[in-house]
């Protein structure tokens, strides 16, 4: 059982997609992590590594051909075992507030932001009456720094930054203890990225919320995260403190160090090769074909030790990435 300060506890979460002909896609394999009260955990990795599938599993939003295993406990509730009725009436919006990728695409195009907010307030709170719903919607917009003058606009009339704030306002309505932001900075310019992650961080720092942010944007992760989980080929290969990860001594897993070396303000050197297909993973370390530290030992699957799943992790004495 997880500690009382733990909001979300994930143990052995795996997702397999059943494909025609009996083929299986191992989208997520044996994920273990916690999100503590008042903490931001950033789940990072290249596109296609399984990050968004993991998020969908937590909310019960996987397609019909998906099969899950393991546990994801939010308090006493196992999200993976919950039925659709429980997820719809208890979890989504009330226990977990979702800030989706490309939020404008998730808003009904023929309805205004005000209409979206009022409907969400009516569904998730006890507020009733036209005037009360209007006031509550405006208060929700203000919490997310969404300008009142834009409340009567439709999704296509919003900039990327405003659509993101609208999505955040909707996610905050139910006072959920956990916010789940899936690629919240996609499509935003660098100034808006900074503003968006600062706003998300503010909701963690000023309330009793925790944040699981899924992103391939390492600059955003550095700005917002307390801890970092690195995902590669469906597995979490490193879980560590954000300050140590981005500073000294730096990450221990070769893949994590490769991600940092690829940043423009670092070596600006791409990781050679391509990630493996999730339907055709090697038996051992999936990163070995791209790793300059790989040996014969890497034909066996590495088990996590001190938060790093690698046969040849970097030590604190190694040069920083």
């Amino acid at each position: 059982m997880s500690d009382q300060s733990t909001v979300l506890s994930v143990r052995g979460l795996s997702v397999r997609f059943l494909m025609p002909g009996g083929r299986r896609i191992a989208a997520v394999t044996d994920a273990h992590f916690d999100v503590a009260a008042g903490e931001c955990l950033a789940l990072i990795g290249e596109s296609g590594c399984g990050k968004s599938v993991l998020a969908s599993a937590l909310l019960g939003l996987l397609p019909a051909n998906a099969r899950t295993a393991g546990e994801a406990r939010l308090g006493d509730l196992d999200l993976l075992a919950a039925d659709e009725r429980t997820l719809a009436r208890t979890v989504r919006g009330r226990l977990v507030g979702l800030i989706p990728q490309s939020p404008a695409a998730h808003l009904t195009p023929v309805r205004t932001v005000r209409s979206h907010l009022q409907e969400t307030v009516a569904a998730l709170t006890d507020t009733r009456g036209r005037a009360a719903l209007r006031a509550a919607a405006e208060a929700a917009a203000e919490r997310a720094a969404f300008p009142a003058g834009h409340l009567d606009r439709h999704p296509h009339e919003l900039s990327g930054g405003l659509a993101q704030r609208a999505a955040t306002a909707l996610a905050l309505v139910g006072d959920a203890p956990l916010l789940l932001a899936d690629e919240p900075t996609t499509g935003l310019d660098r100034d808006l990225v900074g503003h968006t992650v600062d706003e998300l961080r503010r909701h963690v720092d000023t309330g009793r919320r925790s944040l699981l942010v899924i992103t391939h944007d390492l600059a955003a992760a550095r700005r917002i995260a307390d801890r970092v989980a690195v995902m590669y080929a469906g597995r979490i290969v490193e879980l560590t403190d954000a300050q140590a990860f981005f500073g000294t001594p730096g990450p221990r897993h070769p893949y994590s160090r490769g991600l940092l070396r690829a940043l423009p303000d670092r070596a600006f050197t791409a990781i050679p090769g391509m990630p493996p297909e999730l339907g055709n993973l090697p038996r051992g370390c999936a990163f070995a074909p791209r790793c300059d530290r790989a040996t014969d030992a890497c034909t066996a699957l590495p088990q996590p030790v001190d938060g790093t799943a690698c046969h040849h992790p970097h030590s604190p004495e190694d040069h920083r990435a």
Side-chain angles (χ1 to χ4, degrees), residues 20 121 147 158 178 191 238 256 309-310 313 315:
V121 169
L158 303 178
L178 176 66
D191 287 341
E238 187 161 8
S256 305
C310 180
S315 68

Side-chain angles (χ1 to χ4, degrees), residues 64-147:
N65 67 328
R67 300 293 181 269
T68 61
E71 290 185 344
R73 292 201 168 272
L74 194 64
D76 294 328
L77 178 65
D78 182 0
L79 299 176
L80 301 185
D83 57 25
E84 174 58 27
R85 179 185 177 92
T86 300
L87 290 166
R89 297 195 175 193
T90 304
V91 176
R92 299 180 196 133
R94 292 177 173 85
L95 294 178
V96 182
L98 174 64
I99 303 171
Q101 187 176 166
S102 304
H106 287 75
L107 299 172
T108 304
V110 296
R111 299 179 62 188
T112 64
V113 176
R114 185 189 303 277
S115 175
H116 281 91
L117 283 169
Q118 289 185 174
E119 179 185 50
T120 304
V121 169
L124 298 182
T125 74
D126 295 328
T127 305
R128 295 293 180 267
R130 182 177 300 177
L133 286 172
R134 185 180 180 89
E138 292 173 354
E142 186 176 356
R143 282 200 300 274
F146 186 91

Side-chain angles (χ1 to χ4, degrees), residues 68-309:
T68 61
E71 290 185 344
R73 292 201 168 272
L74 194 64
D76 294 328
L77 178 65
D78 182 0
L79 299 176
L80 301 185
D83 57 25
E84 174 58 27
R85 179 185 177 92
T86 300
L87 290 166
R89 297 195 175 193
T90 304
V91 176
R92 299 180 196 133
R94 292 177 173 85
L95 294 178
V96 182
L98 174 64
I99 303 171
Q101 187 176 166
S102 304
H106 287 75
L107 299 172
T108 304
V110 296
R111 299 179 62 188
T112 64
V113 176
R114 185 189 303 277
S115 175
H116 281 91
L117 283 169
Q118 289 185 174
E119 179 185 50
T120 304
V121 169
L124 298 182
T125 74
D126 295 328
T127 305
R128 295 293 180 267
R130 182 177 300 177
L133 286 172
R134 185 180 180 89
E138 292 173 354
E142 186 176 356
R143 282 200 300 274
F146 186 91
H150 291 69
L151 278 169
D152 293 311
R153 293 191 175 186
H154 293 81
H156 72 274
E157 298 176 295
L158 303 178
S159 66
L162 285 179
Q164 192 64 51
R165 291 190 213 178
T168 302
L170 290 166
L172 294 172
V173 166
D175 287 326
L178 176 66
L179 295 178
L180 199 167
D182 186 7
E183 299 285 5
T185 61
T186 297
L188 303 183
D189 63 42
R190 187 47 53 184
D191 287 341
L192 279 176
V193 167
H195 180 82
T196 297
V197 296
D198 288 350
E199 282 295 307
L200 289 174
R201 183 72 226 192
R202 179 173 66 85
H203 295 301
V204 175
D205 291 339
T206 61
R208 293 172 293 178
R209 297 183 181 89
S210 302
L211 174 64
L212 174 59
V213 59
I214 293 168
T215 184
H216 64 270
D217 186 335
L218 269 68
R222 180 175 188 170
R223 189 160 178 153
I224 196 173
D226 297 299
R227 288 189 304 138
V228 173
V230 182
M231 203 165 189
Y232 185 77
R235 291 182 180 272
I236 294 178
V237 297
E238 187 161 8
L239 180 59
T240 189
D241 176 78
Q243 187 172 353
F245 183 90
F246 289 107
T248 303
R252 300 190 66 206
H253 198 284
Y255 173 63
S256 305
R257 295 173 80 88
L259 288 177
L260 289 186
R261 281 198 299 269
L263 291 175
D265 61 345
R266 305 242 179 164
F268 206 27
T269 303
I271 302 173
M274 295 291 291
E277 294 184 12
L278 294 177
N280 188 30
L281 294 174
R283 294 180 63 86
C285 175
F287 186 61
R290 307 174 72 187
C291 182
D292 60 7
R293 297 169 74 92
T295 67
D296 290 345
C298 302
T299 58
L301 188 67
Q303 298 302 313
V305 177
D306 296 330
T308 306

Side-chain angles (χ1 to χ4, degrees), residues 17-94:
F17 292 113
L18 308 183
M19 308 302 288
R23 185 164 169 255
R24 288 175 174 249
I25 305 294
V28 179
T29 300
D30 200 27
H32 287 67
F33 63 89
D34 293 332
V35 182
E39 176 188 45
C40 173
L41 174 67
L43 182 60
I44 66 174
E46 292 168 291
S47 296
C49 70
K51 304 185 304 295
S52 292
V53 172
L54 190 154
S56 296
L58 296 177
L59 288 169
L61 297 176
L62 293 170
N65 67 328
R67 300 293 181 269
T68 61
E71 290 185 344
R73 292 201 168 272
L74 194 64
D76 294 328
L77 178 65
D78 182 0
L79 299 176
L80 301 185
D83 57 25
E84 174 58 27
R85 179 185 177 92
T86 300
L87 290 166
R89 297 195 175 193
T90 304
V91 176
R92 299 180 196 133
R94 292 177 173 85

